[in-house]
Each structure stands twice: as structure tokens, then as C-alpha cells.
Amino acid sequence: MAIVSNTGLVTAIAEGWATITCTANDGSGVNATCEVIVKNTYQGDVNQDDAVNGTDLVALSNIILGRKEQTSAADVNGDGSVNGTDIVALSNIILGRNKAPRRAVATGNGLSIEPFDINAGETKEMLIDLTNPNDEVTLVQFDLHLPEELTIKKNGSDLDFDMADRTSWRKHTLDANEVDGAYRFLLYSSSNTLIEGTEGAIIKVTVVADASFTGGKIVIDNILLVSPDEQETKPDAYELMIGSPTSDDGSAKLSIDEAVKDIKAGETKEMLIDLTNPNDEVTLVQFDLHLPEGLSIKKNGSDLDFDMADRTSWRKHTLDANEVDGAYRFLLYSSSNTLIEGTEGAIIKVTVVADASFTGGKIVIDNILLVSPDEQETKPDAYEYVLPDPSGISTILMDRDKNAPVYNLRGQRLSAPQKGINIVGGRKVVVK
């Protein structure tokens, strides 16, 4: 039996289910009445129980922390990834702050820059990409902001830019100008010729870093895409960090305090994780903490030993952590969108234990995500600190072809250096 028409009459809607009556034909010319049951999908229904409530917050945090498998429903804000931003979006839905997350209806359109490295004194080509999977585009307009000491190269008085793979001077017009400290670009076709394809480079720009360049943020904003039928799309702004910006550039970042940096084998110490956010309001912090071999977070039974620090409180915030892929993933957030207080200082206290084999190593904080109450994301660079060898003995990387005699601390000769402290050629060395 095939449905040949739909009356469009919804006879019942309850708890996410709709019963729709329709007219069907069995092929004999006789119409019959049928009902089609349609299940609605609630945005934010992470555990798919046909309701959006606090249970979904718990389910979502478990997915982010790697305790549960990820599902498509966990991408609450529809940006293609599941992370702390979805926590903020979900709490806003539950508490009625907005009817839908800001990015829930995003089309996937946008501009971006192909990652590249540039150092002081260098000249490099920068490719600007357009992604437009759902739209035909004949015009692109945007403003390009470059960090201090990085500029577009000039040939005389003309900016150095060119068409890229998906555009051509025969079919399109490309122009740019400096406006209010930014470079405004306009790419269009007077014949309404489409930009070819749905992804890849549309513009090439030659940029120059002067001798004092140390890095910073590239921003593309005020983006406008226009189709041949004059339909407008205004994608979100795009940001890219390049180089190694100085610590006073206002960038948000995570770091560890000084107290743990002299930890020795057999010791237990409190490690403070600091957040610096001079220009941003932050309601959620997510990150992965990697500790070197021989150093771990203390456990009380099966629970990791961590706590809120000065700028947070259990009354206003939720803090959880889990071991994921050899790292400790932390999630600190407020379901009420309460800001983390201040702009610098400790947010989390972690108790770490150095076992008897600990000989120093690197602490890394990466996959950092900061989210504001209006669901704006910031992804600071990873933080690294190398803990010195507490024995005071320099670590020497041993070449296997060296002929120097090797002994352990008991005076026994070894055929090759072993992990730990060795006597090599009469010198104490540590092999890691």
C-alpha cells in the first residue's frame, strides 16, 4: 500500500510523538485511511528518553569525560563536535534561557585559514578557504584582522593577493582595501558565476612578519556570502592563533603553580591549576592533564583527589574528572552559568603523588576549551612544563654504540644502560 496524499492533520501530539492521518491507495483504486506515527527528536535529549532535563546534563558530562560512548544527540549546539560548549547550550535549554542554542541551525558555511607557520622576518602565502556544503555562492565579503607586526605584503601601493583554485580572474572580480585597521575583501561575479565546488581555497594572500613579530590571533569577521538569487548567509567569525604570542597579549591560558615544581620521589603535593582570562568571561573549563611517568593523581579509594580552588566553589560549580587515554580529563562548569571569579589565579587543586621511580618529566595541559555564558568558545594553546630530575643528576640520552663500560649502583657490570641511575664511563647518569 502506498501513501498517495497526506491530509496534514496532526491528530495527537504528546511526549514527542505525533500521529498523522493520511490517505492511501492499495492499487485497486480504493482509498483507505492510515496513520503514520512520527517520533520527534528533542534538542538536548542526550539520553534519548523523550525529555530534556538534568539527567541529560549527567549523560553529557559522562560522554565528554569518556565514561560513555558518544551519540549524535550529544552534539547539542550542532557544531559538529561534542565538548564543554554543549554543556553550556544544554543548561541554557533546561533553564529556559533560550529556545535553542546559538549554533543549532548552522549551515556549515564559513571561512577559515589553512594552518601555516611564520616566523619573524619571513614572508609566507596564506590561503583563505570557503566551506559552503549547503549553498551556492557568487559573492564573498569579509574583514581580515592580522596581529601586530604581521601585514599583507605590498607591491608598490597594491596589496599582494590573488585568486585561488576555486576562482579565476576571467570569471570573478577580487579587490581589497585597508579599512579601520583591517583588510576588507570583496570577491564577486558580475555574471553571477558560482564559486566552484563546496570547499577549499578561494583567495591567496602574501603576508610579511617583521623582525619583532612573536605571534598572535588572525580573525576573519563580518562575513557575508551571497547566492545568485540574492540570499544572504552570515557565518560566525573565525579565529586562528599563530606563532608564539607573548604572555602579555591578553590571551586566555591554563598553567600550573610553582609549588609542585620541586616534587621529589616519594612525595605527595598539592598542584594548583591556574586560569588566566584577562579578556574573557568563563563559565566552563575543559582540558586534558598529562603527567610524566612516576607521577599520578592521588586516589581516595577509586576517586581521584581534586577540589575546587579560590575562584570556584561547590555551591556554584560542578567539577569532575576521569582517566581517558592515558590522561586525566577535567570538566569544570556551572549549570547556572555562574562566571569563574576574577581574571587570574587557581581554579582547581589536584593532589599528586611521585612514586619511588619518579625522575622528573613533562607536565602537559592540552585540548583546552573555555566557554562563556553566551556559548563563545576559546581554545588556548597547550601548556607544558618540564619538571627537573629531583636527584640532581643530569639526564643523558645514551647512544647504543658507545663503548664506555656500564655499571649499576651495586657495581655490577651491565651489557647496556638500564632505566634508572647507571655508572657510565665513571659518571652517574639517568636513562629514562
Side-chain angles (χ1 to χ4, degrees), residues 212-278:
S212 61
F213 175 72
T214 58
K217 184 186 293 184
I218 298 176
V219 177
I220 300 177
D221 61 10
N222 298 323
I223 305 169
L224 174 66
L225 311 179
V226 183
S227 66
D229 59 356
E230 303 175 24
Q231 294 296 315
E232 293 184 355
T233 303
K234 296 181 179 180
D236 291 339
Y238 169 84
E239 298 181 357
L240 174 70
M241 291 297 301
I242 60 171
S244 302
T246 57
S247 58
D248 60 354
D249 68 349
S251 300
K253 54 182 176 282
L254 291 181
S255 59
I256 61 171
D257 71 313
E258 295 291 330
V260 77
K261 295 179 179 179
D262 61 353
I263 190 170
K264 298 178 174 59
E267 288 187 339
T268 298
K269 284 212 172 182
E270 182 179 84
M271 181 173 73
L272 296 179
I273 296 176
D274 293 345
L275 167 66
T276 302
N277 55 306

Side-chain angles (χ1 to χ4, degrees), residues 58-80:
V58 176
L60 182 54
S61 63
N62 282 333
I63 289 172
I64 292 173
L65 291 169
R67 296 192 180 104
K68 290 182 63 176
E69 290 188 9
Q70 183 172 311
T71 64
S72 59
D75 183 13
V76 179
N77 70 345
D79 67 353

Side-chain angles (χ1 to χ4, degrees), residues 22-234:
C22 59
T23 302
N25 192 310
D26 63 3
S28 64
V30 179
N31 290 336
T33 300
C34 65
E35 290 186 342
V36 179
I37 306 298
V38 180
K39 186 180 187 301
N40 294 327
T41 300
Y42 288 110
Q43 191 169 24
D45 183 13
V46 177
N47 64 351
Q48 298 179 316
D49 64 350
D50 303 321
V52 180
N53 52 35
T55 308
D56 297 291
L57 272 176
V58 176
L60 182 54
S61 63
N62 282 333
I63 289 172
I64 292 173
L65 291 169
R67 296 192 180 104
K68 290 182 63 176
E69 290 188 9
Q70 183 172 311
T71 64
S72 59
D75 183 13
V76 179
N77 70 345
D79 67 353
S81 61
V82 176
N83 54 34
T85 309
D86 296 290
I87 290 272
V88 178
L90 180 54
S91 64
N92 284 337
I93 292 174
I94 292 172
L95 295 171
R97 293 195 183 95
N98 53 4
K99 293 183 179 179
R102 178 175 56 85
R103 282 179 250 191
V105 294
T107 63
N109 295 327
L111 294 178
S112 59
I113 296 170
E114 296 188 13
F116 72 106
D117 294 322
I118 186 168
N119 299 313
E122 291 185 336
T123 299
K124 288 281 185 82
E125 182 179 82
M126 182 175 73
L127 295 179
I128 298 176
D129 290 352
L130 167 67
T131 301
N132 55 306
N134 302 321
D135 291 308
E136 296 180 331
V137 178
T138 186
L139 179 146
V140 179
Q141 177 184 326
F142 61 91
D143 290 348
L144 173 67
H145 306 260
L146 297 179
E148 192 172 358
E149 316 304 345
L150 185 68
T151 57
I152 295 180
K153 180 183 176 183
K154 285 189 174 181
N155 297 318
S157 61
D158 297 327
L159 298 172
D160 190 340
F161 55 81
D162 199 355
M163 300 277 190
D165 299 337
R166 300 172 58 192
T167 52
S168 72
W169 290 104
R170 181 177 179 181
K171 298 177 180 179
H172 301 93
T173 298
L174 174 61
D175 203 356
N177 187 46
E178 295 184 63
V179 181
D180 297 330
Y183 299 96
R184 179 161 296 165
F185 281 80
L186 182 60
L187 169 66
Y188 66 97
S189 168
S190 59
S191 60
N192 266 357
T193 301
L194 297 178
I195 293 174
E196 295 181 359
T198 59
E199 61 181 6
I202 57 171
I203 299 172
K204 298 183 287 187
V205 180
T206 304
V207 292
V208 179
D210 72 14
S212 61
F213 175 72
T214 58
K217 184 186 293 184
I218 298 176
V219 177
I220 300 177
D221 61 10
N222 298 323
I223 305 169
L224 174 66
L225 311 179
V226 183
S227 66
D229 59 356
E230 303 175 24
Q231 294 296 315
E232 293 184 355
T233 303
K234 296 181 179 180

Side-chain angles (χ1 to χ4, degrees), residues 269-310:
K269 284 212 172 182
E270 182 179 84
M271 181 173 73
L272 296 179
I273 296 176
D274 293 345
L275 167 66
T276 302
N277 55 306
N279 301 323
D280 295 307
E281 295 182 331
V282 178
T283 186
L284 181 146
V285 179
Q286 177 185 326
F287 62 90
D288 290 347
L289 172 66
H290 306 259
L291 298 179
E293 189 172 356
L295 189 67
S296 60
I297 295 180
K298 180 184 176 183
K299 284 190 174 182
N300 297 320
S302 60
D303 297 328
L304 297 172
D305 190 341
F306 54 82
D307 199 356
M308 299 279 191
D310 299 338

